[in-house]
């Protein structure tokens, strides 16, 4: 009797596979990253990919969590650590300039770029919710500064939060178009001039 081994190879490294999948999604976006492209990137067969991660969407969801913990947490950390919303947003924009242009990985923000070319409403909605959560955190922090008098009482917290989000998203796209860290740092400093 011949027993064949099926599924993942014994040497399968889930973390390494997630790293490779993250790079693929980050470079190409959700829609353009095919199962065959993922299996080639990861170095496993399609059945092994399905056995390890379920389907493409489940793999992507897991990759988004890994991405957030490695590259996306700088915003939450800055909002928690900085004494004012302005200081936090300034730090977020400066750190985005660094993260978005780091040559160790694809440029920009995966959560922003992966959603650009997708026809999957579920994927687009999940990524939209992540981005909107960040805007809500920005707005909450701005409202706290209004309440303490750090910002003028007539400050439009929602508009200011959206402005910060728009600059951040624009910086992501600019980095994908070749903007350097120094150029994006200049954008960050310029954006802070609009702060009340």
């Amino acid at each position: 009797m011949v027993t064949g081994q099926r599924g993942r190879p014994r040497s399968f490294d889930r973390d390494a596979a997630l790293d490779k999948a993250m790079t693929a999604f980050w470079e190409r976006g959700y829609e353009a990253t095919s199962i065959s492209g993922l299996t080639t990137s990861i170095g496993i067969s399609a059945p092994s990919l399905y056995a390890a991660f379920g389907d493409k969407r489940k793999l992507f969801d897991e990759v988004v969590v890994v991405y957030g913990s490695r590259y996306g947490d700088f915003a939450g950390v800055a909002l928690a650590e900085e004494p004012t919303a302005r200081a936090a947003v300034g730090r977020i924009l400066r750190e985005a300039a660094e993260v978005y242009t780091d040559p160790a990985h694809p440029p920009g923000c995966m959560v922003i770029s992966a959603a650009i070319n997708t026809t999957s409403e579920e994927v687009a909605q999940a990524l939209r919710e992540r981005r909107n959560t960040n805007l809500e955190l920005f707005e909450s922090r701005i409202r706290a500064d209004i309440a303490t008098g750090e910002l003028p009482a007539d400050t439009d917290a929602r508009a200011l939060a959206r402005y910060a989000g728009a600059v951040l998203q624009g910086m992501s796209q600019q980095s994908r178009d070749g903007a350097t860290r120094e150029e994006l740092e200049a954008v960050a400093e310029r954006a802070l001039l609009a702060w009340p």
Side-chain angles (χ1 to χ4, degrees):
M1 174 169 116
V2 176
T3 58
Q5 186 176 352
R6 305 189 126 234
R8 294 176 303 213
R10 278 180 226 213
S11 64
F12 180 77
D13 181 337
R14 186 177 186 82
D15 290 337
L18 285 169
D19 283 345
K20 291 173 182 173
M22 180 170 46
T23 298
F25 284 123
W26 201 340
E27 287 174 342
R28 297 187 282 279
Y30 178 78
E31 198 74 26
T33 304
S34 66
I35 292 294
S36 74
L38 286 166
T39 58
T40 299
S41 295
I42 296 171
I44 61 175
S45 67
S48 294
L49 183 137
Y50 289 115
F53 300 106
D55 58 18
K56 177 180 167 180
R57 172 64 197 278
K58 288 177 184 165
L59 171 58
F60 181 72
D61 289 345
E62 197 167 337
V63 160
V64 168
V65 170
V66 171
Y67 172 84
S69 69
R70 283 201 202 143
Y71 303 104
D73 281 352
F74 66 89
V77 171
L79 287 166
E81 291 180 355
E82 294 299 326
T84 65
R86 184 186 193 284
V89 168
R91 178 174 161 185
I92 290 165
L93 295 177
R94 285 187 294 278
E95 289 182 9
E98 179 182 350
V99 171
Y100 292 172
T101 60
D102 185 340
H105 55 69
C109 171
M110 189 191 77
V111 172
I112 294 169
S113 60
I116 291 173
N117 293 321
T118 185
T119 58
S120 168
E121 184 51 37
E122 287 179 11
V123 170
Q125 179 62 30
L127 295 174
R128 186 178 311 117
E129 287 171 9
R130 288 183 76 87
R131 291 189 306 273
N132 285 337
T133 295
N134 283 339
L135 290 179
E136 289 166 10
L137 292 172
F138 291 179
E139 184 177 345
S140 175
R141 187 60 193 277
I142 292 164
R143 287 190 189 286
D145 279 5
I146 294 168
T148 64
E150 180 68 35
L151 286 170
D154 64 347
T155 300
D156 185 338
R158 186 173 186 86
L160 192 54
R162 286 214 171 267
Y163 170 75
V167 172
L168 196 60
Q169 291 174 4
M171 288 172 65
S172 174
Q173 184 58 50
Q174 287 287 308
S175 69
R176 291 182 69 85
D177 290 344
T180 66
R181 177 179 174 175
E182 293 75 22
E183 290 170 327
L184 294 182
E185 286 172 342
V187 168
E189 296 310 314
R190 203 33 111 174
L192 291 175
L193 295 176
W195 203 266

